[in-house]
């Protein structure tokens, strides 16, 4: 992958990290920066739907960008191999040319040697060969000397022919190698053009992604603004209701009637809630909404804050490691958190952060799974206990019973 591609991907990773931080910061501001009962406030369905749609589109375009990056990396690897092949063929061409040059020099020398002998014979009038033949003492010796002269001439001719043959073979080999190199150069140009096209497409998708990121940020800001406004309205209504209740109480002391007895939200289980704090936690479990997918620990924190017990931060794994000390069912009490530190059921988030819920009595554990769910303790353990195992204990070490 080219340095430019590395830069683009690095910028994208930084952008995604910043966007994730923005999600976290916005959620934290809404979850923990408002009065205790304000956590039930929600943005309008229209804004939430738009945000979810924009985020889905952002994820889709991000997947396209990741796919382009992977294709580009594969093509860059092929291009690197092509460049290596070109370099290897060029090395063979250079070696062949060196051999051709060597044979040319050898052929030139042979021709020069033959030329020198012919010239010397011509200058002496051919007396060397003639003297050799005339010096023969018999017919048999004459024939032998003539054969010797012919053999010398044939040796020279054969040597020259051999060199010419080798040179022709080397020329053909060089031509073939140059054709291979030309094909590889053509392939390299095609790959380079494809890589340039992919870079342009990558930049185009990146531009779309940046625009979608801005849309998501704007919708997040709008959502948070609506939640804040709704929370403030709820807080004002709560204060007004509290003031009215106080006035009614004063009136009852002045001779009015009192309804007597406690009240709780319909459908809220009261069994096994042995103390007011335990009951407050159970009530808060039913009234505290989900802060979103993968925010199970944030929901638990909100419940205990809404119940007036206190604020406890950290993720599910943190809560498990710090406060969950028992797997003895006889020790399980209403208001205890029930957690694991790692499980495989929900993919990477579960493996890294685990899951946490709250025991509300009657064998039921409530937790945030994107929506607030109620599971039997056996079901909860069966699903979330596949890794580190499930344990329970008092959040913050504060015994509510």
């Amino acid at each position: 992958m080219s340095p430019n591609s590395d830069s683009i991907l690095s910028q994208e990773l930084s952008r995604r990290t910043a966007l994730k931080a923005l999600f976290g910061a916005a959620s934290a501001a809404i979850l923990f920066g408002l009065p205790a009962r304000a956590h039930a406030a929600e943005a309008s369905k229209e804004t939430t739907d738009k945000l979810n749609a924009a985020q889905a589109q952002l994820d889709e375009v991000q997947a396209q960008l990741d796919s382009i990056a992977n294709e580009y990396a594969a093509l860059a690897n092929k291009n690197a191999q092509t460049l290596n092949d070109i370099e290897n063929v060029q090395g063979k061409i250079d070696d062949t040319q060196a051999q051709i040059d060597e044979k040319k020099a050898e052929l030139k020398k042979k021709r020069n040697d033959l030329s020198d002998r012919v010239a010397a014979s011509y200058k002496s009038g051919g007396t060397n060969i003639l003297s050799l033949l005339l010096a023969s003492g018999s017919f048999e010796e004459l024939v032998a000397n003539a054969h010797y002269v012919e053999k010398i001439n044939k040796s020279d001719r054969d040597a020259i022919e051999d060199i010419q043959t080798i040179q022709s073979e080397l020329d053909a080999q060089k031509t073939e190698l140059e054709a291979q190199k030309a094909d590889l150069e053509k392939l390299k140009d095609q790959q380079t053009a494809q890589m340039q096209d992919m870079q342009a497409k990558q930049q185009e998708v990146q531009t779309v992604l940046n625009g979608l990121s801005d849309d998501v940020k704007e919708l997040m800001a709008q959502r948070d603004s609506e939640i804040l406004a709704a929370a403030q309205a709820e807080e004002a209504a709560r204060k007004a209701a509290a003031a009215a209740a106080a006035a009614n109480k004063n009136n009852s002391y002045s001779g009015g009637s009192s309804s007597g007895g406690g009240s709780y939200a319909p459908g809220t289980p009261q069994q096994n809630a042995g103390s007011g704090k335990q009951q407050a936690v159970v009530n808060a479990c039913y009234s505290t909404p989900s802060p979103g997918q993968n925010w199970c620990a944030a929901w638990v924190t909100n419940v205990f804050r809404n119940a007036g017990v206190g604020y406890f931060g950290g993720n599910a794994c943190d809560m498990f490691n710090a406060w969950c000390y028992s797997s003895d069912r006889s020790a399980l009490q209403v208001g205890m958190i029930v957690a694991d530190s790692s499980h495989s059921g929900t993919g990477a988030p579960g493996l890294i952060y685990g899951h946490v819920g709250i025991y509300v009595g009657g064998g039921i554990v409530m937790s945030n799974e994107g929506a607030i769910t109620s599971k039997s303790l056996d079901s909860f353990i069966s699903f979330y206990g596949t890794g580190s195992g499930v344990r329970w204990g008092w959040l913050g070490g504060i015994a509510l019973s």
Side-chain angles (χ1 to χ4, degrees):
M1 188 171 293
S2 67
N4 183 49
S5 298
D6 290 338
S7 176
I8 291 175
L9 290 179
S10 177
Q11 293 172 4
E12 174 56 19
L13 288 173
S14 298
R15 185 202 64 76
R16 294 176 69 184
T17 301
L19 185 58
K20 185 180 291 185
L22 179 59
F23 269 107
S27 299
I30 296 302
L31 294 176
F32 305 127
L34 298 174
R37 296 298 298 173
H39 297 297
E42 296 180 355
S44 68
K45 185 177 185 303
E46 179 183 3
T47 298
T48 302
D49 289 345
K50 286 182 179 179
L51 176 58
N52 291 337
Q55 183 62 52
Q57 191 175 5
L58 180 70
D59 293 340
E60 180 180 351
V61 175
Q62 178 61 57
Q64 293 177 13
L65 187 64
D66 292 341
S67 176
I68 292 172
N70 291 332
E71 291 177 15
Y72 183 92
L75 185 58
N77 290 337
K78 291 181 180 179
N79 183 251
Q81 183 59 52
T82 301
L83 294 176
N84 289 337
D85 292 342
I86 291 174
E87 187 176 359
N88 291 335
V89 171
Q90 183 59 55
K92 293 179 181 179
I93 291 174
D94 294 340
D95 291 342
T96 303
Q97 184 59 54
Q99 295 179 51
I100 291 173
D101 293 341
E102 181 181 346
K103 291 301 178 183
K104 282 183 177 179
E106 187 177 346
L107 179 61
K108 182 178 180 181
K109 184 177 184 303
K110 289 288 185 181
R111 284 174 174 170
N112 288 340
D113 290 345
L114 181 59
S115 177
D116 290 344
R117 281 202 302 274
V118 172
S121 177
Y122 175 78
K123 288 178 181 179
S124 63
T127 55
N128 291 336
I129 298 175
L130 182 60
S131 297
L132 177 65
L133 295 176
L134 293 176
S136 302
S138 64
F139 180 76
E140 288 79 4
E141 188 176 355
L142 175 64
V143 172
N145 288 337
H147 177 72
Y148 175 73
V149 171
E150 175 63 20
K151 187 174 182 181
I152 292 174
N153 292 337
K154 184 176 184 303
S155 177
D156 287 339
R157 289 195 302 271
D158 289 346
I160 290 174
E161 288 177 1
D162 288 344
I163 293 173
Q164 288 175 331
T165 299
I166 294 173
Q167 182 179 348
S168 297
E169 291 174 351
L170 289 171
D171 286 338
Q173 182 178 344
K174 180 183 176 184
T175 299
E176 181 181 352
L177 289 170
E178 287 176 340
Q180 290 181 18
K181 182 183 178 184
D183 290 340
L184 288 169
E185 292 283 0
K186 184 177 180 180
L187 177 60
K188 182 196 73 173
D189 293 340
Q190 291 174 347
Q191 291 172 338
T192 300
Q194 287 178 320
M195 290 168 69
Q196 290 173 345
D197 290 342
M198 292 185 72
Q199 286 178 337
K201 186 177 180 180
Q202 186 180 38
Q203 187 58 49
E204 180 181 346
V205 175
Q206 181 68 57
T207 301
V208 174
L209 190 69
N210 292 340
L212 289 172
S213 175
D214 292 338
D215 291 343
V216 169
K217 291 176 183 177
E218 290 177 4
L219 287 167
M220 286 173 63
Q222 181 177 342
R223 177 202 63 184
D224 294 348
S225 177
E226 290 178 3
I227 292 176
L228 179 61
Q232 290 172 340
E234 288 181 4
E235 181 65 11
R238 186 190 67 80
K239 291 181 178 179
N248 289 336
K249 185 177 180 181
N250 291 335
N251 289 338
S252 68
Y253 287 143
S254 300
S257 62
S258 174
S259 60
S263 64
Y264 58 92
T268 302
Q270 300 294 300
Q271 69 275 18
N272 299 330
S275 74
K277 289 184 177 181
Q278 287 175 292
Q279 186 61 61
V281 168
V282 172
N283 291 344
C285 284
Y286 282 87
S287 62
T288 302
S290 167
Q293 185 74 32
N294 297 327
W295 291 85
C296 59
W299 178 77
V300 169
T301 296
N302 294 345
V303 167
F304 277 81
R305 184 168 181 169
N306 290 343
V309 176
Y311 168 79
F312 307 94
N315 55 45
C317 183
D318 296 331
M319 292 179 177
F320 175 89
N321 291 327
W323 312 116
C324 294
Y325 52 84
S326 177
S327 59
D328 181 2
R329 295 192 182 216
S330 66
L332 180 60
Q333 298 187 52
V334 173
M336 282 186 171
I337 59 170
V338 182
D340 73 286
S341 63
S342 177
H343 64 269
S344 59
T346 56
L351 289 171
I352 297 172
Y353 299 110
H355 187 69
V356 62
I358 300 172
Y359 183 65
V360 297
I364 300 299
V365 179
M366 294 182 66
S367 68
N368 174 34
E369 298 179 341
I372 307 305
T373 62
S374 297
K375 279 186 165 70
S376 70
L377 180 63
D378 289 337
S379 296
F380 190 95
I381 293 175
S382 175
F383 186 81
Y384 293 108
T386 55
S388 62
V390 172
R391 291 179 175 272
W392 39 83
W394 295 115
L395 185 59
I398 300 175
L400 304 181
S401 62

